[in-house]
Amino acid sequence: MIELGGAAPRARWSARLVAAASIAVLVIGGLAVKLAQLQVTDGAQLAGMARANTVHRVVVEADRGVIYDRHGTALVANSPVWNLEIIPVALPNDARTRADELAELARIAGVQEPALVAELLAADPYGSVRVGPDLTQAQELAINERLPDLPGASIVQHAVRTYVDPMTFGHVLGYVGPLNEAELKRLRPSGYQPGEVIGKVGVEAGLESLLRGKNGWADVEVDARGQILRTLDSQAPEPGDSVYLSLDATLQRAAAQSLAAGLVRDRKTAGASVVVDPRTGEVLSLVSLPGYDTNLFTHGISQAEYKKLLDDPNRPLLNRAISGQYAPGSTFKMVTATAGLQEGKITADTLLGCPSYLNVNGWIYHNWASYNLGQMNVAKALAVSCDTFFYQVAAMVGDVTLARYARAFGFGQSKDIEMPGVMPGLVPDRIWKQLQCGVPDLNSDACRWSTGDTITFGIGQSYLLTTPLNQAVYVAALANGGHVMRPTLVHDVRDAFGHAVQTLQPEVTSTVPASAANLMAVREGMRQEINPPYNMNYWFRASGVPADGGGKTGTAQWGGSGLDLPTHAWFVFFAPYAQPEIALSIFVERGELSEVQAAPIGVDIMKFYRANSGAIRAQAAR
């Protein structure tokens, strides 16, 4: 037997090695089980999650509905423009490269870099952020050349509102603009997105729900740089409805030209005119001057341009037709006459004196004429606009009753028309004065309603206020037998396929509580004012227009109390007399003589209407 020396041989598997091997087997087995679970059990779920990480839903903007006049003449267009847009997630990851690109994008877009950075931080990282104003052709070409070196940036086409004749239709149409923070917070539940436009004023705002349409969407797959690889699913947008306004474009332009010419002739700078159909309440023309270019707002108004509009002493942004509140002056006398007749204080044959002034408790209240015009009935008092006659009638009726009739004619009530900013005017009485007084002693002179307040109320002064729109609705009620119509700017509404969505439904909001005979007596006074032997007939004869209707002038004082106060000029009118189809109000801011400043404008508008009434009234095929 041979024996070899050295250490005894070790066992092939030690306890430590066995333990390590066992652990390795267990880990590998666990990984295998988990892999199987991921592939078999959770595979579909994880695949969907992975897919969701690369799929983003983008909004597809709907075309805003087009606005037409009653005959289908387009007053606004959706014009294509190009904008620079950025997808935040697609910007370079490297901080320095990203900062360099943002600085370059801010420069070429004409925006401040800090503002751009803040906007991108607040935005959806996968969303597209519109940067800066609309691009000029030169900017578009310059940016297109740079796009390969600007990851995440692109040029995208959008539609922008372009108004056909903004200086004439601007106050009616209004304009659109980007949502501000408060609007976005309020409207986001309705599907509005950051950067989306919304109607700000005019019918663009009043008819927002009809014009906006419904945005579509697209689920797109994007790569790591945020570039779209393919569209997986989509829903097409639904365009907004087409709105056909009650306005006639030719009448609107003619009214604007007549008003502008009258203002220039008399060296005035501001005014308004409203023409309505007394049978339906349709507004055929609504003009406020001066106007402003609404395209400045939709195409990007500069701070300097906006400040210029705000600082203009003529306040072009004010829509005087619906928002300007002024004393109506003598145009209110038909209300006082109606109240006196209906309450039995006077009859159509009652004769009252027309002295040059009245002495009321030591206070002198003057007539416009410095001499006594003699005895007269209510029709003649309206025709010659005798202040002292209506002082007496107002004192008989009293302030509370007079206020009740004023409200019945629609004074002091905001008209429910399809645009924001409509002011109600003001109908005062003793209760209103006490509530407005603001001092503890309600028996003080500052709080107590006086007889002087009542009698000046009766000639459209005191604290009484109205608007040109309200005046047109008021004279329309006198024309149609006492029915106060809801004014409307909408003739009909149609969807993208031409189907009727909304059609005109005339609505009587209230009826004046007066008999037909009493209203006829008031209308007779209006007829006499514009016919011989009174001077108003001159403007109709000079224009070659028959004085077949009823009218009333008014020169309203404002700015305090006393004799030598500034005035505004009014003229209200309806025609034809027997079957009225048009009613209008004319307002000249700071006009001194209504019969020579406001009335000729109204007659000029009436001349155009008579010559073109067939075309204005024609029903357009849709």
Side-chain angles (χ1 to χ4, degrees):
M1 170 186 275
I2 300 174
E3 291 185 4
L4 300 176
R10 297 180 178 178
R12 179 173 296 182
W13 292 95
S14 65
R16 183 178 297 178
L17 188 59
V18 170
S22 299
I23 293 172
V25 170
L26 289 174
V27 170
I28 293 171
L31 290 173
V33 171
K34 186 63 176 177
L35 180 60
Q37 181 182 0
L38 291 173
Q39 290 180 331
V40 179
T41 309
D42 300 333
Q45 179 182 356
L46 293 174
M49 292 174 64
R51 184 167 177 264
N53 286 335
T54 61
V55 174
H56 182 65
R57 173 163 290 186
V58 296
V59 174
V60 182
E61 294 179 358
D63 285 339
R64 196 168 178 85
V66 178
I67 304 173
Y68 303 90
D69 86 334
R70 65 189 297 115
H71 304 297
T73 299
L75 304 177
V76 63
N78 294 320
S79 303
V81 295
W82 294 92
N83 295 102
L84 174 64
E85 295 196 355
I86 300 173
I87 299 176
V89 75
L91 291 168
N93 291 323
D94 177 72
R96 179 177 293 276
T97 306
R98 182 187 182 95
D100 290 343
E101 179 174 337
L102 288 177
E104 177 66 6
L105 289 171
R107 185 189 66 78
I108 60 180
V111 299
Q112 296 295 318
E113 184 181 352
L116 175 60
V117 172
E119 185 176 7
L120 293 176
L121 286 174
D124 177 357
Y126 286 95
S128 189
V129 179
R130 194 177 306 179
V131 180
D134 301 336
L135 300 175
T136 64
Q137 186 176 13
Q139 287 175 319
E140 179 193 346
L141 292 173
I143 296 173
N144 257 324
E145 292 178 357
R146 298 291 317 280
L147 284 180
D149 302 321
L150 298 171
S154 61
I155 294 179
V156 180
Q157 188 182 66
H158 294 278
V160 65
R161 295 295 250 190
T162 299
Y163 300 100
V164 175
D165 191 353
M167 302 303 289
T168 300
F169 295 92
H171 278 296
V172 178
L173 299 180
Y175 58 86
V176 297
L179 288 162
N180 59 38
E181 188 174 340
E183 290 168 337
L184 179 60
K185 183 177 181 180
R186 174 171 56 88
L187 295 172
R188 198 155 200 169
S190 300
Y192 283 81
Q193 302 295 317
E196 191 169 345
V197 299
I198 186 175
K200 296 290 187 177
V201 295
V203 296
E204 287 277 28
L207 301 176
E208 170 68 19
S209 61
L210 295 173
L211 293 167
R212 177 178 178 246
K214 184 178 180 181
N215 288 338
W217 51 265
D219 287 340
V220 295
E221 186 176 359
V222 298
D223 61 18
R225 295 179 60 196
Q227 302 301 311
I228 295 175
L229 301 176
R230 58 183 175 136
T231 300
L232 304 174
D233 196 8
S234 65
Q235 179 173 301
E238 298 176 14
D241 294 329
S242 296
V243 174
Y244 293 81
L245 298 181
S246 58
L247 301 183
D248 177 87
T250 61
L251 180 62
Q252 176 81 357
R253 291 189 174 96
Q257 291 167 4
S258 296
L259 180 60
L263 296 178
V264 170
R265 179 193 62 222
D266 297 315
R267 298 180 181 178
K268 305 303 175 187
T269 58
S273 69
V274 181
V275 181
V276 302
D277 186 332
R279 301 165 298 184
T280 63
E282 284 187 289
V283 178
L284 303 177
S285 169
L286 188 148
V287 177
S288 177
L289 294 180
Y292 63 99
D293 187 354
T294 46
N295 286 324
L296 289 173
F297 289 85
T298 56
H299 290 263
I301 189 169
S302 69
Q303 189 63 38
E305 289 170 325
Y306 187 53
K307 186 176 186 302
K308 183 179 179 181
L309 289 172
L310 290 177
D311 294 343
D312 190 328
N314 293 316
R315 299 185 295 170
L317 296 177
L318 173 65
N319 187 346
R320 287 169 169 81
I322 65 169
S323 300
Q325 299 184 103
Y326 316 95
S330 292
T331 61
F332 183 77
K333 288 174 180 175
M334 285 82 78
V335 175
T336 306
T338 302
L341 290 165
Q342 190 65 26
E343 294 298 311
K345 305 301 181 182
I346 59 171
T347 68
D349 299 320
T350 298
L351 298 178
L352 297 176
C354 184
S356 61
Y357 68 89
L358 290 183
N359 186 326
V360 180
N361 301 323
W363 291 87
I364 303 300
Y365 296 91
H366 292 268
N367 187 23
W368 64 264
S370 59
Y371 49 91
N372 193 322
L373 295 178
Q375 297 284 104
M376 59 185 64
N377 63 13
V378 66
K380 183 177 179 180
L382 285 169
V384 302
S385 200
C386 176
D387 294 327
T388 46
F389 181 100
F390 289 100
Y391 289 153
Q392 297 172 74
V393 176
M396 297 177 195
V397 171
D399 60 297
V400 174
T401 300
L402 191 55
R404 176 163 54 86
Y405 277 87
R407 296 186 183 103
F409 272 106
F411 286 84
Q413 299 170 20
S414 180
K415 297 295 176 283
D416 184 19
I417 199 168
E418 297 89 353
M419 64 169 71
V422 180
M423 299 302 293
L426 173 64
V427 175
D429 57 20
R430 64 186 62 225
I431 299 171
W432 169 86
K433 191 172 183 181
Q434 287 185 349
L435 292 174
Q436 296 296 315
C437 181
V439 298
D441 184 5
L442 296 182
N443 292 317
S444 68
D445 290 338
C447 301
R448 188 169 53 248
W449 185 271
S450 68
T451 304
D453 290 330
T454 299
I455 65 174
T456 55
F457 182 9
I459 65 163
Q461 296 284 173
S462 186
Y463 306 97
L464 183 66
L465 296 174
T466 188
T467 68
L469 173 63
N470 204 345
Q471 291 281 82
V473 172
Y474 156 54
V475 73
L478 288 166
N480 66 27
H483 303 298
V484 179
M485 307 299 297
R486 185 182 78 83
T488 179
L489 282 162
V490 177
H491 189 62
D492 61 40
V493 180
R494 296 187 173 267
D495 64 19
F497 303 100
H499 301 142
V501 175
Q502 177 181 319
T503 56
L504 174 66
Q505 298 293 329
E507 179 184 345
V508 177
T509 60
S510 64
T511 300
V512 179
S515 67
N518 286 334
L519 288 175
M520 186 59 69
V522 174
R523 283 163 48 95
E524 173 61 19
M526 298 177 71
R527 187 193 67 80
Q528 289 185 20
E529 175 165 322
I530 63 171
N531 279 279
Y534 306 111
N535 289 334
M536 274 297 300
N537 186 52
Y538 168 80
W539 301 110
F540 289 88
R541 285 189 287 107
S543 295
V545 179
D548 178 21
K552 185 75 190 77
T553 55
T555 305
Q557 293 181 319
W558 60 278
S561 60
L563 293 176
D564 191 18
L565 292 174
T567 57
H568 298 311
W570 290 97
F571 178 59
V572 296
F573 176 77
F574 69 84
Y577 187 78
Q579 294 181 316
E581 60 185 52
I582 186 173
L584 58 84
S585 71
I586 306 295
F587 171 74
V588 177
E589 190 167 290
R590 298 179 180 268
E592 292 89 3
L593 293 171
S594 55
E595 63 271 21
V596 298
Q597 292 176 347
I601 297 170
V603 174
D604 198 35
I605 294 173
M606 188 60 197
K607 180 180 181 179
F608 180 88
Y609 176 81
R610 284 181 59 86
N612 298 275
S613 60
I616 292 171
R617 294 297 182 180
Q619 292 297 315
R622 296 282 188 262

